[in-house]
Amino acid sequence: MRRSLLPRKAASATLPVPDGTAIDASSLEGYITTAPSPQNAVDLFAGTWSSHIPLPGVTSGPLPLFNDDRVRWAIDQLGGIDGLRVLELGPLEAGHTYQLLAAGAEVVAVEAQGKAYLKCLIAKELLGMNEARFLLGDFMEYLRGTTDHYDVCFASGVLYHMSNPVETLALAAEAADNLFLWTHYYDEDICQGSERVRPHFVREPVPSVYEGFEHTLHPQDYQDGVQLKGFCGGTAHSSNWLSRDDLIGGLEHFGWTVLGVSFDDPTHENGPALALAASRTKPAG
């Protein structure tokens, strides 16, 4: 059942009270006047959900992120995660968290976007994800400061939102023994040949070095995307993408061994993308 609120125009109206004075009706905004329901909670962010919440009769978003083949593939590549501690970077709306918990993991998930964090808490309550802990903040700052160690770092849909993606690969290597990535990567011919992607890459590539690893950063600008109601990008107005070669090279430089690559889609509408699983088998450098 949908929630029932005072009309938006009531925000500037007044209501009479018995003594003849008036009160500002906006003080009543946000109250729910229907019986409690999962839909009431979801509708706090109506029209901004990316994920389909797996509850009968609940209307949320379109994407099946609570039932994602990439997560099942990652779990298989890692030989199962039952009993393992997982650090999830950027859980968005807790869809992947839900699958990780179902596979037996203990999850700490760090989310920088305030509304996404609250959506995670709503999903946690509605779906009983009691073994998950959600933290509000920048996961890069968390990685730079934490002394905690995890069995798995799960990073789906975040690397291409980073200003320094190679630093993310390096810090993940310090924090975890295994890694899952799903990310976009830069390919000159494909990205410049796409009418959808090309406008986001108008600046020149930038040669860069991080802890001895030489690579090239490809600046990506969100442009008007940051104004969208459901924007779920990075913490800045732009980010830097890596080429596929620099992505793999960066992993190897910081001690990751790639176990498998899948979902490699050069024709993805938002730019070439792939998923990979990796393990730490040698010292970094």
Short mmCIF file of all heavy atoms in Angstrom, two decimals, residues 138-141 143-144 157-169 171 183 201 203-210 215-222 231 233-243:
data_model
loop_
_atom_site.label_atom_id
_atom_site.label_comp_id
_atom_site.label_asym_id
_atom_site.label_seq_id
_atom_site.Cartn_x
_atom_site.Cartn_y
_atom_site.Cartn_z
N ASP A 138 33.54 7.52 3.21
CA ASP A 138 34.34 7.28 2.00
C ASP A 138 35.19 6.03 2.20
O ASP A 138 36.02 5.97 3.12
CB ASP A 138 35.23 8.50 1.78
CG ASP A 138 36.01 8.45 0.47
OD1 ASP A 138 36.28 7.33 -0.04
OD2 ASP A 138 36.36 9.52 -0.05
N PHE A 139 34.99 5.02 1.37
CA PHE A 139 35.74 3.78 1.60
C PHE A 139 37.22 3.94 1.34
O PHE A 139 38.03 3.17 1.87
CB PHE A 139 35.15 2.60 0.82
CG PHE A 139 35.24 2.66 -0.69
CD1 PHE A 139 36.45 2.60 -1.35
CD2 PHE A 139 34.08 2.72 -1.45
CE1 PHE A 139 36.52 2.64 -2.74
CE2 PHE A 139 34.14 2.75 -2.84
CZ PHE A 139 35.37 2.71 -3.49
N MET A 140 37.64 4.94 0.56
CA MET A 140 39.06 5.18 0.38
C MET A 140 39.68 5.64 1.70
O MET A 140 40.77 5.20 2.07
CB MET A 140 39.30 6.19 -0.73
CG MET A 140 39.04 5.65 -2.12
SD MET A 140 40.11 4.25 -2.55
CE MET A 140 41.71 5.07 -2.66
N GLU A 141 38.99 6.51 2.41
CA GLU A 141 39.49 6.95 3.71
C GLU A 141 39.48 5.78 4.69
O GLU A 141 40.37 5.66 5.54
CB GLU A 141 38.65 8.11 4.24
CG GLU A 141 38.83 9.40 3.46
CD GLU A 141 40.26 9.88 3.45
OE1 GLU A 141 40.96 9.75 4.48
OE2 GLU A 141 40.71 10.38 2.40
N LEU A 143 39.93 2.59 3.86
CA LEU A 143 41.05 1.73 3.49
C LEU A 143 42.39 2.33 3.92
O LEU A 143 43.31 1.60 4.31
CB LEU A 143 41.05 1.49 1.99
CG LEU A 143 39.97 0.54 1.45
CD1 LEU A 143 39.93 0.60 -0.08
CD2 LEU A 143 40.19 -0.88 1.92
N ARG A 144 42.51 3.64 3.84
CA ARG A 144 43.76 4.30 4.22
C ARG A 144 44.03 4.19 5.72
O ARG A 144 45.18 4.22 6.15
CB ARG A 144 43.74 5.77 3.80
CG ARG A 144 43.80 6.00 2.30
CD ARG A 144 43.64 7.47 1.94
NE ARG A 144 43.58 7.66 0.49
CZ ARG A 144 42.67 8.40 -0.14
NH1 ARG A 144 41.74 9.03 0.57
NH2 ARG A 144 42.68 8.52 -1.45
N GLY A 157 31.31 -2.15 -9.38
CA GLY A 157 30.80 -0.87 -9.85
C GLY A 157 31.38 0.34 -9.16
O GLY A 157 30.70 1.37 -9.04
N VAL A 158 32.64 0.24 -8.69
CA VAL A 158 33.22 1.38 -7.98
C VAL A 158 34.55 1.87 -8.54
O VAL A 158 34.87 3.06 -8.45
CB VAL A 158 33.39 1.07 -6.47
CG1 VAL A 158 32.04 0.84 -5.81
CG2 VAL A 158 34.31 -0.12 -6.24
N LEU A 159 35.36 0.99 -9.13
CA LEU A 159 36.71 1.38 -9.51
C LEU A 159 36.72 2.52 -10.52
O LEU A 159 37.56 3.42 -10.44
CB LEU A 159 37.48 0.17 -10.08
CG LEU A 159 38.98 0.40 -10.26
CD1 LEU A 159 39.67 0.53 -8.91
CD2 LEU A 159 39.61 -0.73 -11.08
N TYR A 160 35.80 2.52 -11.46
CA TYR A 160 35.75 3.56 -12.49
C TYR A 160 35.19 4.89 -11.97
O TYR A 160 35.13 5.87 -12.71
CB TYR A 160 34.95 3.08 -13.71
CG TYR A 160 33.54 2.63 -13.40
CD1 TYR A 160 32.47 3.50 -13.52
CD2 TYR A 160 33.29 1.32 -12.99
CE1 TYR A 160 31.17 3.08 -13.25
CE2 TYR A 160 32.01 0.89 -12.72
CZ TYR A 160 30.95 1.77 -12.85
OH TYR A 160 29.68 1.35 -12.57
N HIS A 161 34.79 4.91 -10.69
CA HIS A 161 34.38 6.16 -10.06
C HIS A 161 35.51 6.79 -9.25
O HIS A 161 35.31 7.85 -8.64
CB HIS A 161 33.19 5.91 -9.12
CG HIS A 161 31.92 5.54 -9.82
ND1 HIS A 161 31.39 6.28 -10.84
CD2 HIS A 161 31.08 4.48 -9.64
CE1 HIS A 161 30.26 5.72 -11.26
NE2 HIS A 161 30.06 4.63 -10.56
N MET A 162 36.69 6.18 -9.25
CA MET A 162 37.80 6.65 -8.43
C MET A 162 38.64 7.70 -9.14
O MET A 162 38.83 7.64 -10.36
CB MET A 162 38.70 5.48 -8.04
CG MET A 162 38.03 4.39 -7.21
SD MET A 162 37.55 4.96 -5.56
CE MET A 162 35.79 5.28 -5.82
N SER A 163 39.18 8.63 -8.37
CA SER A 163 40.15 9.59 -8.90
C SER A 163 41.50 8.93 -9.11
O SER A 163 42.23 9.26 -10.04
CB SER A 163 40.29 10.79 -7.96
OG SER A 163 39.08 11.50 -7.86
N ASN A 164 41.85 8.01 -8.22
CA ASN A 164 43.12 7.28 -8.31
C ASN A 164 42.84 5.78 -8.20
O ASN A 164 43.02 5.18 -7.14
CB ASN A 164 44.08 7.74 -7.21
CG ASN A 164 45.48 7.18 -7.38
OD1 ASN A 164 45.72 6.31 -8.23
ND2 ASN A 164 46.42 7.68 -6.60
N PRO A 165 42.36 5.16 -9.28
CA PRO A 165 41.97 3.74 -9.20
C PRO A 165 43.10 2.80 -8.85
O PRO A 165 42.86 1.76 -8.23
CB PRO A 165 41.42 3.46 -10.60
CG PRO A 165 42.03 4.50 -11.48
CD PRO A 165 42.17 5.72 -10.63
N VAL A 166 44.33 3.15 -9.20
CA VAL A 166 45.45 2.27 -8.87
C VAL A 166 45.68 2.25 -7.36
O VAL A 166 46.02 1.21 -6.79
CB VAL A 166 46.72 2.69 -9.64
CG1 VAL A 166 47.95 1.93 -9.14
CG2 VAL A 166 46.54 2.45 -11.13
N GLU A 167 45.48 3.38 -6.71
CA GLU A 167 45.58 3.39 -5.25
C GLU A 167 44.54 2.46 -4.64
O GLU A 167 44.81 1.77 -3.64
CB GLU A 167 45.39 4.80 -4.70
CG GLU A 167 45.53 4.87 -3.18
CD GLU A 167 45.16 6.21 -2.59
OE1 GLU A 167 44.59 7.06 -3.30
OE2 GLU A 167 45.45 6.41 -1.38
N THR A 168 43.35 2.41 -5.23
CA THR A 168 42.31 1.50 -4.73
C THR A 168 42.78 0.05 -4.81
O THR A 168 42.60 -0.73 -3.87
CB THR A 168 41.01 1.68 -5.54
OG1 THR A 168 40.63 3.06 -5.52
CG2 THR A 168 39.89 0.84 -4.94
N LEU A 169 43.40 -0.32 -5.93
CA LEU A 169 43.92 -1.68 -6.08
C LEU A 169 44.99 -1.97 -5.04
O LEU A 169 45.04 -3.08 -4.48
CB LEU A 169 44.49 -1.87 -7.49
CG LEU A 169 43.54 -1.67 -8.68
CD1 LEU A 169 44.28 -1.90 -9.98
CD2 LEU A 169 42.33 -2.59 -8.57
N LEU A 171 45.45 -0.44 -2.01
CA LEU A 171 44.91 -0.49 -0.66
C LEU A 171 44.09 -1.75 -0.43
O LEU A 171 44.08 -2.32 0.67
CB LEU A 171 44.06 0.75 -0.39
CG LEU A 171 44.83 2.07 -0.32
CD1 LEU A 171 43.86 3.23 -0.11
CD2 LEU A 171 45.88 2.05 0.78
N THR A 183 34.03 -3.72 -13.26
CA THR A 183 34.35 -2.33 -13.56
C THR A 183 34.32 -2.06 -15.05
O THR A 183 34.48 -2.96 -15.86
CB THR A 183 35.75 -1.98 -13.00
OG1 THR A 183 36.01 -0.59 -13.19
CG2 THR A 183 36.85 -2.79 -13.70
N PHE A 201 34.55 11.76 -22.27
CA PHE A 201 36.02 11.67 -22.35
C PHE A 201 36.53 12.73 -23.33
O PHE A 201 36.90 12.42 -24.46
CB PHE A 201 36.45 10.26 -22.79
CG PHE A 201 36.19 9.20 -21.77
CD1 PHE A 201 34.99 8.49 -21.78
CD2 PHE A 201 37.12 8.91 -20.78
CE1 PHE A 201 34.75 7.51 -20.84
CE2 PHE A 201 36.87 7.93 -19.83
CZ PHE A 201 35.68 7.23 -19.86
N ARG A 203 38.83 15.20 -22.19
CA ARG A 203 40.14 15.68 -21.75
C ARG A 203 41.24 14.70 -22.15
O ARG A 203 40.99 13.52 -22.40
CB ARG A 203 40.14 15.90 -20.24
CG ARG A 203 39.27 17.07 -19.81
CD ARG A 203 39.40 17.34 -18.33
NE ARG A 203 38.66 16.39 -17.51
CZ ARG A 203 39.02 16.00 -16.29
NH1 ARG A 203 40.17 16.46 -15.77
NH2 ARG A 203 38.29 15.15 -15.60
N GLU A 204 42.45 15.21 -22.19
CA GLU A 204 43.60 14.40 -22.60
C GLU A 204 43.98 13.39 -21.52
O GLU A 204 43.84 13.66 -20.32
CB GLU A 204 44.81 15.30 -22.89
CG GLU A 204 44.65 16.18 -24.12
CD GLU A 204 44.54 15.35 -25.39
OE1 GLU A 204 45.31 14.39 -25.56
OE2 GLU A 204 43.65 15.66 -26.21
N PRO A 205 44.46 12.21 -21.92
CA PRO A 205 44.96 11.23 -20.94
C PRO A 205 46.11 11.82 -20.12
O PRO A 205 46.83 12.71 -20.58
CB PRO A 205 45.44 10.08 -21.82
CG PRO A 205 44.71 10.24 -23.11
CD PRO A 205 44.55 11.72 -23.30
N VAL A 206 46.27 11.30 -18.91
CA VAL A 206 47.27 11.83 -17.98
C VAL A 206 48.22 10.70 -17.56
O VAL A 206 47.79 9.74 -16.90
CB VAL A 206 46.59 12.42 -16.73
CG1 VAL A 206 47.65 12.95 -15.75
CG2 VAL A 206 45.61 13.51 -17.11
N PRO A 207 49.52 10.79 -17.93
CA PRO A 207 50.48 9.80 -17.44
C PRO A 207 50.60 9.89 -15.93
O PRO A 207 50.58 10.98 -15.34
CB PRO A 207 51.79 10.22 -18.12
CG PRO A 207 51.38 11.06 -19.28
CD PRO A 207 50.12 11.77 -18.84
N SER A 208 50.68 8.76 -15.25
CA SER A 208 50.69 8.75 -13.79
C SER A 208 51.57 7.63 -13.28
O SER A 208 51.80 6.62 -13.97
CB SER A 208 49.26 8.58 -13.27
OG SER A 208 49.21 8.67 -11.86
N VAL A 209 52.08 7.81 -12.05
CA VAL A 209 52.86 6.78 -11.38
C VAL A 209 52.35 6.68 -9.95
O VAL A 209 52.20 7.70 -9.26
CB VAL A 209 54.37 7.10 -11.37
CG1 VAL A 209 55.13 5.99 -10.64
CG2 VAL A 209 54.90 7.28 -12.78
N TYR A 210 52.06 5.47 -9.50
CA TYR A 210 51.68 5.26 -8.11
C TYR A 210 52.48 4.10 -7.55
O TYR A 210 52.39 2.97 -8.07
CB TYR A 210 50.18 4.99 -7.96
CG TYR A 210 49.75 4.84 -6.52
CD1 TYR A 210 49.52 5.97 -5.74
CD2 TYR A 210 49.62 3.59 -5.93
CE1 TYR A 210 49.16 5.84 -4.40
CE2 TYR A 210 49.26 3.45 -4.60
CZ TYR A 210 49.04 4.59 -3.84
OH TYR A 210 48.70 4.47 -2.51
N HIS A 215 51.27 4.15 -15.35
CA HIS A 215 50.02 3.89 -16.04
C HIS A 215 49.46 5.19 -16.59
O HIS A 215 50.04 6.26 -16.38
CB HIS A 215 49.01 3.23 -15.08
CG HIS A 215 48.73 4.05 -13.86
ND1 HIS A 215 49.63 4.17 -12.81
CD2 HIS A 215 47.66 4.81 -13.51
CE1 HIS A 215 49.12 4.96 -11.87
NE2 HIS A 215 47.94 5.37 -12.28
N THR A 216 48.35 5.10 -17.27
CA THR A 216 47.70 6.27 -17.85
C THR A 216 46.29 6.39 -17.30
O THR A 216 45.53 5.40 -17.27
CB THR A 216 47.63 6.17 -19.38
OG1 THR A 216 48.96 6.06 -19.90
CG2 THR A 216 46.95 7.39 -19.98
N LEU A 217 45.95 7.59 -16.84
CA LEU A 217 44.60 7.87 -16.38
C LEU A 217 43.81 8.53 -17.50
O LEU A 217 44.31 9.43 -18.18
CB LEU A 217 44.64 8.80 -15.16
CG LEU A 217 45.34 8.27 -13.92
CD1 LEU A 217 45.42 9.34 -12.84
CD2 LEU A 217 44.64 7.02 -13.39
N HIS A 218 42.57 8.09 -17.67
CA HIS A 218 41.69 8.64 -18.71
C HIS A 218 40.54 9.37 -18.01
O HIS A 218 39.60 8.73 -17.51
CB HIS A 218 41.18 7.52 -19.61
CG HIS A 218 42.27 6.77 -20.30
ND1 HIS A 218 42.81 7.16 -21.51
CD2 HIS A 218 42.95 5.65 -19.92
CE1 HIS A 218 43.77 6.33 -21.86
NE2 HIS A 218 43.88 5.40 -20.92
N PRO A 219 40.62 10.72 -17.95
CA PRO A 219 39.62 11.48 -17.21
C PRO A 219 38.21 11.31 -17.79
O PRO A 219 38.01 11.43 -19.00
CB PRO A 219 40.10 12.93 -17.36
CG PRO A 219 41.56 12.82 -17.66
CD PRO A 219 41.69 11.58 -18.49
N GLN A 220 37.28 11.05 -16.91
CA GLN A 220 35.87 10.88 -17.27
C GLN A 220 35.06 11.90 -16.50
O GLN A 220 35.18 12.01 -15.28
CB GLN A 220 35.42 9.46 -16.90
CG GLN A 220 33.97 9.15 -17.21
CD GLN A 220 33.00 9.60 -16.12
OE1 GLN A 220 31.88 10.06 -16.41
NE2 GLN A 220 33.42 9.51 -14.86
N ASP A 221 34.24 12.67 -17.20
CA ASP A 221 33.41 13.71 -16.56
C ASP A 221 31.96 13.26 -16.54
O ASP A 221 31.40 12.88 -17.57
CB ASP A 221 33.55 15.03 -17.32
CG ASP A 221 34.96 15.57 -17.28
OD1 ASP A 221 35.50 15.73 -16.16
OD2 ASP A 221 35.55 15.82 -18.36
N TYR A 222 31.32 13.36 -15.35
CA TYR A 222 29.91 12.97 -15.23
C TYR A 222 28.99 13.96 -15.94
O TYR A 222 27.86 13.62 -16.29
CB TYR A 222 29.51 12.87 -13.76
CG TYR A 222 30.22 11.78 -13.02
CD1 TYR A 222 31.15 12.07 -12.01
CD2 TYR A 222 29.96 10.44 -13.29
CE1 TYR A 222 31.79 11.07 -11.31
CE2 TYR A 222 30.60 9.43 -12.60
CZ TYR A 222 31.51 9.75 -11.61
OH TYR A 222 32.15 8.75 -10.92
N PHE A 231 21.42 9.78 -9.12
CA PHE A 231 22.85 9.70 -9.39
C PHE A 231 23.56 8.86 -8.33
O PHE A 231 23.36 9.03 -7.13
CB PHE A 231 23.46 11.10 -9.40
CG PHE A 231 24.96 11.11 -9.58
CD1 PHE A 231 25.52 10.81 -10.82
CD2 PHE A 231 25.80 11.40 -8.52
CE1 PHE A 231 26.90 10.80 -10.99
CE2 PHE A 231 27.18 11.41 -8.68
CZ PHE A 231 27.72 11.10 -9.92
N GLY A 233 27.19 7.93 -8.68
CA GLY A 233 28.57 7.86 -9.12
C GLY A 233 29.54 8.03 -7.97
O GLY A 233 29.30 7.57 -6.85
N GLY A 234 30.65 8.71 -8.24
CA GLY A 234 31.67 8.91 -7.23
C GLY A 234 31.43 10.14 -6.39
O GLY A 234 30.37 10.78 -6.46
N THR A 235 32.43 10.51 -5.59
CA THR A 235 32.30 11.63 -4.67
C THR A 235 32.72 12.96 -5.29
O THR A 235 32.65 13.99 -4.63
CB THR A 235 33.14 11.38 -3.41
OG1 THR A 235 34.51 11.21 -3.78
CG2 THR A 235 32.67 10.14 -2.67
N ALA A 236 33.16 12.94 -6.54
CA ALA A 236 33.58 14.16 -7.24
C ALA A 236 32.82 14.26 -8.56
O ALA A 236 32.06 13.38 -8.94
CB ALA A 236 35.09 14.14 -7.49
N HIS A 237 33.06 15.36 -9.29
CA HIS A 237 32.37 15.57 -10.57
C HIS A 237 33.02 14.80 -11.72
O HIS A 237 32.50 14.81 -12.84
CB HIS A 237 32.34 17.06 -10.91
CG HIS A 237 31.34 17.84 -10.12
ND1 HIS A 237 31.57 18.24 -8.82
CD2 HIS A 237 30.08 18.26 -10.43
CE1 HIS A 237 30.52 18.90 -8.37
NE2 HIS A 237 29.60 18.92 -9.31
N SER A 238 34.13 14.16 -11.43
CA SER A 238 34.82 13.40 -12.47
C SER A 238 35.55 12.22 -11.83
O SER A 238 35.66 12.12 -10.60
CB SER A 238 35.81 14.28 -13.24
OG SER A 238 36.84 14.73 -12.37
N SER A 239 36.05 11.33 -12.67
CA SER A 239 36.83 10.19 -12.20
C SER A 239 37.87 9.86 -13.25
O SER A 239 37.97 10.54 -14.28
CB SER A 239 35.92 8.98 -11.95
OG SER A 239 35.36 8.51 -13.17
N ASN A 240 38.66 8.83 -13.00
CA ASN A 240 39.67 8.40 -13.97
C ASN A 240 39.53 6.91 -14.24
O ASN A 240 39.45 6.11 -13.30
CB ASN A 240 41.09 8.70 -13.45
CG ASN A 240 41.39 10.18 -13.45
OD1 ASN A 240 41.37 10.83 -14.49
ND2 ASN A 240 41.68 10.74 -12.28
N TRP A 241 39.49 6.56 -15.51
CA TRP A 241 39.40 5.16 -15.91
C TRP A 241 40.78 4.63 -16.27
O TRP A 241 41.68 5.39 -16.68
CB TRP A 241 38.48 5.01 -17.11
CG TRP A 241 37.02 5.18 -16.83
CD1 TRP A 241 36.46 5.85 -15.77
CD2 TRP A 241 35.93 4.69 -17.62
NE1 TRP A 241 35.09 5.81 -15.87
CE2 TRP A 241 34.74 5.10 -16.98
CE3 TRP A 241 35.86 3.95 -18.80
CZ2 TRP A 241 33.48 4.78 -17.49
CZ3 TRP A 241 34.61 3.64 -19.31
CH2 TRP A 241 33.43 4.04 -18.65
N LEU A 242 40.94 3.33 -16.14
CA LEU A 242 42.14 2.63 -16.58
C LEU A 242 41.85 1.85 -17.85
O LEU A 242 40.72 1.40 -18.07
CB LEU A 242 42.61 1.66 -15.50
CG LEU A 242 43.04 2.23 -14.15
CD1 LEU A 242 43.31 1.10 -13.17
CD2 LEU A 242 44.26 3.13 -14.30
N SER A 243 42.88 1.67 -18.66
CA SER A 243 42.75 0.73 -19.78
C SER A 243 42.73 -0.69 -19.21
O SER A 243 43.10 -0.93 -18.05
CB SER A 243 43.92 0.89 -20.75
OG SER A 243 45.12 0.44 -20.14
#
